[in-house]
Amino acid sequence: MSRLIVVSNRVSAPRDPAASSMGGLAMALSAALKTYDGLWFGWSGETVDTFTGELKMEDRAGVKVALVDLEAQDVDEYYNGYANKTLWPLFHHRVDLTAYERSYGEGYERTNARFAEVLAPLIQPGDLIWIHDYHMIPLARDLRRLGITNRIGFFLHTPWPARQLLVTLPHHRRLVESMFDFDLIGFHTREWLDLFRDYVASEPEVRGRLLPGGGLEAFGKRVETGVFPIGIDVDGFLEARNSAAGARAYDRMAASAVFRQMIVGVDRLDYSKGLEERFYGYEQFLRDNPDMHGDVFLLQVTPISRDDVDTYQDIRARLDSLAGRINGEFADMDWQPIRYLNRSYRRDQLAGIYRAAKVAMVTPLRDGMNLVAKEYVAAQNPEDPGVLILSRFAGAAEDMGEALLVNPFSREEVADAIKRALTMPLEERIRKWKSLMEVVRRTDVGQWRDAFVKRLAGAENARARAA
């Protein structure tokens, strides 16, 4: 059996799975690496004065991990710069927030080349290499330059941008051309794949060709593509929900919400998550339904992320102000309409919180998948399930049509959906939940993982044949 080498910007293999707050993705990849006797490679998260390429090898709960430190300049230009200030906003259609700094692009290229130089000696004949996300798009190209002919797959965990936006990126053609050194490219949804295919087939500088079976030909190379909707570790999440910690979190929230209905939102602090728009929609609901004041509250859990990036500091300040204004206008002596928390919770605690919530709001402006939607559905009591309000611009919306799909840019539409969710009859809630739970089961993270690895193992490998 071939080894599997997983490559990601940060290695998220948990040291102690039983106590981990990591989601299903880390667990699924860890399980795959054990099955395939594999290796997880990536940045350690640490910086050094001078890059040496020295590897630190660890064993994390049976998973072999290879870590490398980066220079501070690499982190600033590659990670904080090109990855998070250029590609992330661009891929989420926020051209207004995209920074096109030449030094960022140079740092991105340099750091990926360094990753390749450190990784290449670890690769053995027959290994399958699975690279994850926008941080490492050029890595296959850099590995090929070093003579690596193994099958290399890539999975994008974010949306792919529309062609008209992608062309605003300097050297966009070079970025896409580097992707043709992969053997297989995977996307969450048909929409993201179609946008990628549109660029390849329609961009004048490329004029690629669509091949039967979903492949693409351009730049004198061929690559296979596919749609692989990611999910959660359903059984693992149900176990977390039913654990002692999950039960305690449920009891605590149920007691806190006695005589009131709780709406929950759980999102990393990011402008793509539509948090400001969600607050405005909830505010509209409060204005439209004064008779429901005191009977409902919104619990918004928003861990801080990328706090050293100016854009994230700005959105944090705006959300603090907006939550304070709404509470100041609508709160009463025994009722606060918004509970806004900037902290993180373990997966088992979140499972208990989800179960206690009558409604979940998952309303990003644009998102690759958004697994909170699937976690919320999995956490529900089948006899009295809550209702999922889901942005039509989240990848999850492609399969989860029984949720209340909304346009998060319309505060009136969001407000109407909140009212409908809170007043939905039990029979309708059960019907919708059963349908959504079937989707959650069908797109389990283990099935996603196995489908991608199986497709990669069978992908056409012209490079190996040529060698």
Side-chain angles (χ1 to χ4, degrees):
M1 182 179 292
S2 301
R3 285 200 318 168
L4 177 66
I5 298 180
V6 169
V7 184
S8 60
N9 172 60
R10 297 276 191 104
V11 173
S12 54
R15 291 182 171 85
D16 181 4
S20 176
S21 62
M22 300 304 300
L25 174 59
M27 299 297 190
L29 293 177
S30 295
L33 291 168
K34 293 175 184 177
T35 300
Y36 288 84
D37 185 30
L39 174 74
W40 199 327
F41 171 85
W43 174 36
S44 66
E46 303 295 328
T47 58
V48 290
D49 293 335
T50 303
F51 179 79
T52 64
E54 180 180 352
L55 277 171
K56 293 183 286 187
M57 306 298 294
E58 296 181 7
D59 185 292
R60 295 189 181 181
V63 174
K64 298 175 184 176
V65 170
L67 306 171
V68 62
D69 299 335
L70 295 177
E71 291 181 7
Q73 184 180 0
D74 293 335
V75 176
D76 184 56
E77 295 176 349
Y78 148 76
Y79 181 69
N80 291 331
Y82 201 79
N84 290 327
K85 292 182 181 178
T86 303
L87 293 184
W88 177 268
L90 177 62
F91 282 16
H92 288 84
H93 282 196
R94 291 302 303 270
V95 179
D96 58 314
L97 299 178
T98 303
Y100 301 113
E101 299 289 341
R102 181 174 298 175
S103 63
Y104 293 167
E106 292 171 348
Y108 184 71
E109 295 277 341
R110 179 185 66 250
T111 304
N112 271 278
R114 286 178 165 178
F115 282 139
E117 291 170 359
V118 178
L119 175 60
L122 303 176
I123 299 172
Q124 302 172 7
D127 286 348
L128 299 176
I129 305 165
W130 190 4
I131 297 171
H132 289 264
D133 231 355
Y134 59 99
H135 309 83
M136 294 179 158
I137 289 175
L139 186 54
R141 178 202 65 195
D142 295 332
L143 288 170
R144 302 299 185 198
R145 289 173 175 174
L146 296 174
I148 301 298
T149 60
N150 301 57
R151 288 182 174 88
I152 306 178
F154 175 75
F155 190 83
L156 184 66
H157 291 268
T158 69
W160 183 263
R163 177 170 58 91
Q164 294 83 351
L165 299 182
L166 183 58
V167 296
T168 67
L169 178 70
H171 309 298
H172 56 87
R173 181 185 184 278
R174 184 171 67 191
L175 184 74
V176 174
E177 182 176 3
S178 72
M179 298 178 73
F180 277 73
D181 281 302
F182 291 104
D183 295 289
L184 173 64
I185 300 173
F187 300 87
H188 283 306
T189 71
R190 172 60 55 181
E191 180 182 353
W192 311 148
L193 173 56
D194 287 346
L195 289 173
F196 180 72
R197 289 162 64 92
D198 175 67
Y199 174 92
V200 172
S202 304
E203 178 58 24
E205 296 182 5
V206 180
R207 292 299 184 189
R209 187 164 66 95
L210 309 182
L211 302 175
L216 294 169
E217 184 177 68
F219 313 107
K221 302 172 185 177
R222 293 188 177 189
V223 65
E224 293 187 26
T225 60
V227 176
F228 303 88
I230 195 171
I232 65 171
D233 175 8
V234 178
D235 291 336
F237 193 81
L238 292 177
E239 182 179 344
R241 184 198 69 180
N242 297 331
S243 67
R248 285 195 298 271
Y250 170 78
D251 290 341
R252 183 178 175 185
M253 291 312 306
S256 175
V258 66
F259 304 126
R260 294 189 173 114
Q261 299 186 85
M262 181 174 73
I263 305 168
V264 70
V266 177
D267 309 81
R268 179 174 56 82
L269 182 67
D270 192 278
Y271 46 79
S272 68
K273 301 302 182 182
L275 296 174
E276 290 178 90
E277 290 78 6
R278 183 180 307 169
F279 281 8
Y280 282 123
Y282 180 62
E283 179 184 35
Q284 187 68 47
F285 162 79
L286 295 174
R287 293 192 189 283
D288 294 345
N289 300 277
D291 57 313
M292 300 187 76
H293 290 189
D295 297 332
V296 62
F297 69 93
L298 169 62
L299 175 67
Q300 180 60 52
V301 179
T302 306
I304 303 301
S305 69
R306 302 171 185 166
D307 205 30
D308 52 351
V309 178
D310 291 344
T311 304
Y312 291 83
Q313 296 172 3
D314 292 342
I315 189 174
R316 181 180 182 183
R318 293 197 300 272
L319 287 170
D320 287 345
S321 176
L322 185 55
R325 181 177 64 76
I326 292 173
N327 279 334
E329 180 175 352
F330 293 99
D332 206 339
M333 65 178 69
D334 61 348
W335 172 63
Q336 183 170 301
I338 295 181
R339 301 181 189 177
Y340 177 48
L341 308 178
N342 290 134
R343 58 163 296 180
S344 59
Y345 290 89
R346 290 164 48 115
R347 187 167 60 144
D348 47 13
Q349 293 173 313
L350 285 175
I353 294 171
Y354 291 145
R355 190 177 185 186
K358 297 299 183 182
V359 179
M361 297 186 70
V362 181
T363 54
L365 306 182
R366 196 166 182 82
D367 217 342
M369 176 56 69
N370 199 302
L371 296 180
V372 170
K374 297 185 178 184
E375 289 177 343
Y376 177 76
V377 170
Q380 294 310 293
N381 176 0
E383 297 179 357
D384 186 19
V387 179
L388 173 63
I389 298 175
L390 180 62
S391 166
R392 62 179 65 250
F393 304 122
E398 186 164 280
D399 289 327
M400 302 183 77
E402 281 297 330
L404 298 186
L405 298 182
V406 298
N407 173 6
F409 294 95
S410 169
R411 65 180 67 184
E412 290 86 359
E413 192 169 322
V414 172
D416 291 346
I418 294 173
K419 174 70 175 294
R420 182 183 172 195
L422 291 171
T423 58
M424 185 177 293
L426 176 61
E427 182 179 354
E428 185 178 1
R429 285 190 279 123
I430 292 175
R431 177 183 62 78
K432 285 182 172 293
W433 176 83
K434 286 182 177 180
S435 177
L436 291 171
M437 193 61 191
E438 288 178 4
V439 174
V440 172
R441 284 282 187 189
R442 188 178 70 247
T443 60
D444 179 273
V445 70
Q447 298 183 48
W448 164 82
R449 173 199 67 208
D450 294 342
F452 190 96
V453 173
K454 181 179 179 180
R455 178 81 177 274
L456 177 60
E460 182 180 4
N461 192 339
R463 300 168 187 86
R465 290 201 310 270

